[in-house]
Amino acid sequence: MIPVGYMYKKVVIKPDWLKAANTVDVYSLSNCISHNFADYINYWQHNGYWLFDSPAIIEALAIAENIDLSDTTLFYYEAYEYEYIEETDTWATFTPEPSCVTEVQIPAHKHLEGFDVTTFSGHNEPECSPLSCNALATDISVNQHCLFNTFAEAKEAIECGFFKNSEPGPYRIFAVYTVTLAET
C-alpha cells in the first residue's frame, strides 16, 4: 500500500435506500454520499493523487476560504499500488499526477476502518465508490462503514467481477483510516 493523502469529509448516516445490513454510516473515498469538506480542486492545493499531503494544508485552506470543518471527520488513505483494468482483466500500476507535488506525511497513529473500491475513469480524482454509490453493499458483506473488512475481500470482489457494469473503471483499492488531530 502506498500513502496517497488526507481528506476531511462530512460523514453521512446510511441512507434509507442503501439496504446493506451491517452498515451504519458511509466512509467511502468518493464524494457521492459522504461529501468532501469543499469543492477543493479549484484551489489547486491537492497532491498528485487528488488528496492532500497533510491535514495542515486542508486546515489552512479552510481558514483562508472561511470553510467550517467542525462537522467533518479526518481521513487518511493508502492505496494498493495497482489499478484493475476491467476490459483486459489485468492489474496495472498507476502514478500520481506529475504536475502536482506529492509528499504525503504519514500520521503517527491511524485507525484502519476498512477498504474501499473506487473508480478512476478520468485517471485523476476519485469518482464513485460502487459499494455505496451503486448500493452494491446490499449484495456483499461489508462493515458498519460500508467498507470491506480486508484487502483480500476487496481484491477478490474486483477479480470475480462483482463491480462489473456498476461504474466505469479502472478500480483502485484504498485502505481507509480515521485520524484525530492529536494523533497526526
Side-chain angles (χ1 to χ4, degrees):
M1 301 296 275
I2 52 176
V4 294
Y6 295 85
M7 181 62 67
Y8 275 96
K9 297 182 72 67
K10 297 177 182 181
V11 173
V12 170
I13 300 301
K14 177 184 83 167
D16 290 338
W17 54 263
L18 182 58
K19 304 299 182 198
N22 297 328
T23 300
V24 174
D25 50 22
V26 178
Y27 277 19
S28 63
L29 170 61
S30 73
N31 189 46
C32 300
I33 296 174
S34 289
H35 297 288
N36 299 329
F37 71 98
D39 184 13
Y40 67 92
I41 294 174
N42 294 328
Y43 300 113
W44 286 97
Q45 294 187 31
H46 56 274
N47 65 23
Y49 293 111
W50 298 71
L51 296 167
F52 291 85
D53 285 336
S54 73
I57 295 170
I58 302 171
E59 292 157 11
L61 173 62
I63 290 168
E65 299 298 326
N66 199 26
I67 299 169
D68 183 11
L69 296 176
S70 64
D71 62 344
T72 62
T73 301
L74 177 59
F75 290 93
Y76 167 72
Y77 303 95
E78 294 175 350
Y80 182 46
E81 53 271 16
Y82 299 97
E83 62 184 8
Y84 189 77
I85 313 300
E86 191 173 48
E87 297 80 19
T88 58
D89 291 324
T90 58
W91 291 95
T93 59
F94 65 92
T95 57
E97 166 58 44
S99 65
C100 297
V101 174
T102 303
E103 297 174 349
V104 178
Q105 296 176 9
I106 299 170
H109 304 282
K110 56 192 178 189
H111 183 267
L112 180 63
E113 302 292 352
F115 294 83
D116 195 16
V117 173
T118 306
T119 61
F120 283 82
S121 64
H123 301 281
N124 49 27
E125 68 181 299
E127 293 161 357
C128 291
S129 296
L131 284 174
S132 54
C133 301
N134 297 94
L136 294 184
T138 303
D139 299 323
I140 199 165
S141 179
V142 294
N143 67 21
Q144 70 271 20
H145 304 302
C146 203
L147 302 170
F148 289 107
N149 283 312
T150 68
F151 170 81
E153 291 171 347
K155 190 170 188 243
E156 180 181 354
I158 291 172
E159 292 175 341
C160 290
F162 181 73
F163 294 94
K164 197 174 212 76
N165 301 319
S166 63
E167 293 286 341
Y171 303 109
R172 296 180 189 171
I173 302 172
F174 289 86
V176 178
Y177 297 90
T178 51
V179 180
T180 60
L181 289 179
E183 297 176 331
T184 57

